[in-house]
Amino acid sequence: MSEKILVIGELQQGVLRKVSYETIAAAKQLNANAEILALVLGDGDLQHPAEEMIHYGADRVITVSHANLSNYTSEGYGQVIMEVMHDENPSGIIMGHTSVGKDVTPKIASRLELGLISDAVAIEKEDDQVIFTRPIYSGKAFEKKVMKDEGLLFATIRPNNISALEPDASRTGDIIAREVDVKDLRTIVKEVIRKKTEGVDLSEAKIVIAGGRGVKSAEGFNALYELADLLGGAVGASRGACDADYCDYSLQIGQTGKVVTPDLYIAVGISGAIQHMAGMSNSKVIVAINSDEEANIFKMADYGIVGDLFEVLPLFIEELKLQGALVS
Amino acid sequence: MNIYVLLKKTFDTEEAISVSGNQIDESGAEFIINPYDEYAVEEAIQQRDKHGGTVTVVTIGDEDSEKQLRTALAMGADEAVLINTSDDLDEGDQFTTAKILETFFEGKEVDLILAGNVAIDEASGQVGPRLAERLNMPFITTIVKLDIEDGTAEIEKDLEGDLEKIDVSLPVLVTCQQGLNEPRYTSLPGIMKAKKKPLEQLELDDLDLDEDDVEAKTATISIFLPPKKQAGRILVGETGEQVKELVSLLSSEAKVI
C-alpha cells in the first residue's frame, strides 16, 4: 500500500480556512507520491468543504460530523484525529498553526509520544530527509528541524507561507462520511462571542494595515479599516496602540502578540520598536507612514512616506479608489 | 489549592539575536521571565489570595534560572523548584521538557497548573498541552479570564480574537494569554522576602530519569538569521505626489496590490 499523509481541514463558521488548502500543498512537499487524505470535522453537512479539499489536491476525504464537534475542543478533535490515525496509519500529518492546530497537535503528539514540529514556514527534502524551517525568537532567527526517528512526520504550518495549489474544480475523489462517537468531554464550550470584525483574518491576510500610537485614538483606526477594506486586508496594531486601548489585544503584532508575514505590510504611525519589528519583519513588502523621519520603522521599510498620517491616509484611500485598485 | 506555575527564562525582548557556530549567541544577553509566564505567575498569586493554598513555580534550566525563580517568589509565589538539566542534557525538545515535568508531577496533589501560552524564544506552545495530556488533565490554552468556584473553572479563552466561554472541572492546566491580568512589579520587601523562600534544586537523577528516558524526538540541524533587509526608498515631494507614487510602486514594481 502506498504511503499516505493526513491533513486536517479546519472549518471556521462552516467555511474552510485558507491554511487548510496550504496543508495539502505542504503534504505534497513531504512526499509527492503519497496519497493525500484529508479529514474534515464539524457538525452538519461537510460535503462542500470535503469537495473543496479535493479541488485543492486531496485524493480522499474523511468527514466526521457530530454534535460534540460543533465547537472545537481538544478532547473532541483529539479523539477523532487519533481514531483516523489509528485506522489509516499515515506517514505524516500536517495541520495549520492556528488556535486549533496549536491546541490539538501537542495533545496528540504527547499521547502517542511523537515529535512535533510547530509553525513551519518551509519544507524541503534532502536525500529523503524532510527538513522543516521555523522561525524562532519571533522571526529574529530561524531554525531547521528534522525528526530524529524514521517515524511519523508531524508538523503544523504557519498560514500564508506555503502556497496552496491551484484549485481544479474537475478533480474528483472519494468522500467518506465516518461515524465517530465523540464522548466524555471534560471541557464544555458554553458560548462563543464573535468579537472579530467581519472580513479577513489577521494571521492569514495577504495585506496588513497596522497602526501605532501615532494613530492617536480608536476613531483614528477608522481610516485604517477603510484602507484594509479597500485592499482586502486586515488591520493590526502595535503594543502601544493596544495598551492605549485604541484596539483589542487580539490585533497586537510583535514579540508578544501575533507574528504576521503578509505580502504587504503598511505601518501607520508605528515607530518600530524591536519587539514590534519581530512580529512583522518577514513581510514581503513593508511600507511605513510616519511623521518622524528618524523613526526606526523606516530602516525596515521598502517604501516610506514621511508625513502626517491623517493627511496621507485619506489621499491614499482616494488614490486607490481612483485607480480602481482591487485586490482579492 | 495547590497551584503550580511552569516558568521559562527567555531572552529579554529588547535583545537583538546573533548566531555563532549554529547556535544563538547568549553571551552578555539579559534574561527575563518569559512574558506570557509572567501572566501565569500573577494569576496564580491572585487565585491563591482568593482561595488559599500555595503557589509553586517550576522551571527547567541551569543555575542561572534561579534569578527568574527569585523574581517570581518576589512577586508573591511561595515556593520554587529548579530542575537543573545543564549537566545531563545537551539538547532537548518539547517531548523532553514535558517528560521531565510529568515525572516531577507524579504523585503530587495538583489543582491548577498555569503556564504561558507560548515562550517567545522557541515559540512552539507545546509543553503545556503535552504535560496536561500526560497527567490526564484537561487543558485550555490562551485564557484571558479565570474564575474558580466549587471546583469548577469558568474560563474565557481567546480564539484568535473571538472569545470562548468554557467550563471545566479541576484539576486543569491553563496557558495564559495577554489580557488575563497586569503582572505586578516586584517590591523591595518582596525581593527581601523572596531570598528566604524555599527553592528546591533537582537534577534528572532525583527524578529517577536518565538521558535516554527524555531523549528528544526532533533535532535542530541549523540556526540562521533572516537576510538583512536593505534600506528602502523614502518618497519625496508633495504628499499627494508621494501617495500617487506609492500606489504606482506597489502595483507595478512590488506587485502587491
Side-chain angles (χ1 to χ4, degrees), chain A residues 13 16 42 49 87 106 145-146 151 162 189 207 210 219-221 235 237-238 246 282 288 307 314 320:
Chain A
Q13 283 147 278
L16 278 170
D87 289 355
K145 288 204 93 165
V146 295
I162 295 168
V189 178
I207 295 180
E219 292 70 44
F221 268 79
V235 170
S238 72
Y246 302 164
N282 294 307
L320 284 172

Side-chain angles (χ1 to χ4, degrees), chain B residues 46-117:
Chain B
Q46 290 187 18
Q47 294 296 336
R48 178 207 57 199
D49 290 348
K50 217 175 286 170
H51 303 284
T54 55
V55 173
T56 308
V57 186
V58 186
T59 198
I60 297 176
D62 53 32
E63 55 264 33
D64 295 337
S65 309
E66 185 175 335
K67 187 178 165 213
Q68 286 73 38
L69 289 176
R70 291 285 174 207
T71 303
L73 292 170
M75 286 171 74
D78 302 293
E79 295 174 21
V81 179
L82 167 56
I83 304 172
N84 189 336
T85 56
S86 57
D87 291 341
D88 297 320
L89 296 180
D90 292 330
E91 204 184 357
D93 67 359
Q94 297 83 13
F95 168 81
T96 309
T97 306
K99 182 83 189 175
I100 294 170
L101 291 170
E102 175 193 354
T103 313
F104 169 79
F105 278 104
E106 251 166 37
K108 288 200 165 48
E109 288 265 326
V110 177
D111 298 300
L112 177 65
I113 302 176
L114 300 113
N117 85 75

Side-chain angles (χ1 to χ4, degrees), chain A:
Chain A
M1 202 172 67
S2 75
E3 276 193 42
K4 55 186 122 169
I5 297 174
L6 177 65
V7 302
I8 316 292
E10 192 188 320
L11 291 176
Q12 199 170 42
Q13 283 147 278
V15 181
L16 278 170
R17 295 188 66 166
K18 255 172 42 193
V19 70
S20 306
Y21 309 133
E22 296 167 4
T23 61
I24 298 169
K28 287 195 184 286
Q29 291 177 12
L30 296 187
N31 182 345
N33 302 315
E35 179 194 22
I36 310 295
L37 171 62
L39 172 61
V40 179
L41 309 83
D43 177 23
D45 184 4
L46 302 174
Q47 186 68 18
H48 179 67
E51 282 167 6
E52 281 207 299
M53 290 300 274
I54 288 179
H55 295 164
Y56 275 88
D59 298 307
R60 182 160 60 98
V61 182
I62 295 174
T63 62
V64 178
S65 174
H66 193 288
N68 283 345
L69 298 173
S70 64
N71 284 312
Y72 164 82
T73 59
S74 63
E75 293 177 305
Y77 273 47
Q79 282 173 29
V80 175
I81 295 170
M82 280 191 272
E83 193 166 316
V84 170
M85 282 171 71
H86 180 264
D87 289 355
E88 298 283 348
N89 196 22
S91 59
I93 306 179
I94 303 284
M95 193 164 180
H97 195 65
T98 58
S99 261
V100 169
K102 284 177 212 176
D103 205 76
V104 76
T105 53
K107 177 186 170 78
I108 294 167
S110 185
R111 170 64 34 205
L112 304 175
E113 302 210 328
L114 298 168
L116 166 64
I117 294 171
S118 300
D119 202 18
V121 294
I123 297 169
E124 65 198 295
K125 273 185 105 166
E126 220 170 79
D127 306 330
D128 275 348
Q129 186 175 42
V130 178
I131 303 170
F132 298 89
T133 301
R134 62 184 299 274
I136 50 176
Y137 298 87
S138 311
K140 288 179 185 169
F142 288 84
E143 64 175 352
K144 291 193 183 221
K145 288 204 93 165
V146 295
M147 293 288 177
K148 278 172 95 169
D149 301 325
E150 294 255 313
L152 188 83
L153 292 162
F154 194 6
T156 59
I157 58 165
R158 172 176 295 197
N160 233 355
N161 281 265
I162 295 168
S163 303
L165 307 171
E166 278 299 316
D168 173 359
S170 67
R171 276 192 99 240
T172 54
D174 282 343
I175 298 172
I176 307 130
R178 198 193 148 113
E179 300 270 328
V180 177
D181 191 13
V182 184
K183 59 184 181 192
D184 301 331
L185 304 185
R186 292 172 291 185
T187 45
I188 300 150
V189 178
K190 288 188 300 189
E191 192 184 356
V192 181
I193 302 163
R194 306 275 167 209
K195 283 166 61 189
K196 249 181 314 199
T197 40
E198 293 285 313
V200 186
D201 189 287
L202 182 54
S203 57
E204 294 190 319
K206 291 264 183 220
I207 295 180
V208 172
I209 326 288
R213 273 198 187 276
V215 180
K216 291 200 175 90
S217 67
E219 292 70 44
F221 268 79
N222 290 341
L224 277 73
Y225 280 107
E226 192 180 347
L227 188 56
D229 270 351
L230 210 54
L231 292 170
V235 170
S238 72
R239 177 167 195 159
C242 296
D243 281 346
D245 251 346
Y246 302 164
C247 46
D248 195 81
Y249 277 118
S250 60
L251 300 189
Q252 185 177 321
I253 291 165
Q255 193 141 14
T256 47
K258 290 193 169 62
V259 178
V260 295
T261 47
D263 291 343
L264 173 61
Y265 189 90
I266 304 178
V268 182
I270 289 177
S271 60
I274 186 166
Q275 293 92 336
H276 182 75
M277 305 285 241
M280 46 62 81
S281 60
N282 294 307
S283 304
K284 289 184 193 87
V285 175
I286 296 169
V287 171
I289 300 169
N290 202 299
S291 55
D292 174 11
E293 61 182 311
E294 299 292 323
N296 207 30
I297 191 83
F298 286 119
K299 290 188 192 138
M300 190 65 82
D302 298 278
Y303 307 110
I305 291 184
V306 178
D308 179 0
L309 67 95
F310 297 104
E311 187 187 344
V312 174
L313 285 187
L315 289 168
F316 196 177
I317 289 164
E318 192 182 317
E319 179 67 19
L320 284 172
K321 283 183 178 161
L322 211 65
Q323 298 281 332
L326 280 176
V327 179
S328 58

Side-chain angles (χ1 to χ4, degrees), chain A residues 99 103 107 110-111 114 118 134 137 140 142 144 146 186 188 190-191 193 257 302-304, chain B residues 15 36 121-122 126 130 133-134 136 141 160 162-163 165 167 217 219 221-222 224 233 235 253:
Chain A
S99 261
D103 205 76
K107 177 186 170 78
S110 185
R111 170 64 34 205
L114 298 168
S118 300
R134 62 184 299 274
Y137 298 87
K140 288 179 185 169
F142 288 84
K144 291 193 183 221
V146 295
R186 292 172 291 185
I188 300 150
K190 288 188 300 189
E191 192 184 356
I193 302 163
D302 298 278
Y303 307 110
Chain B
E15 296 282 344
Y36 292 103
D121 48 13
E122 297 280 333
Q126 290 184 25
R130 272 185 183 266
E133 184 66 17
R134 298 313 302 178
N136 195 23
T141 55
E160 295 178 42
D162 290 334
L163 204 63
K165 294 192 170 193
D167 277 359
K217 303 282 184 191
I221 53 171
S222 70
F224 58 97
R233 188 171 353 156
L235 307 180
E253 188 179 271

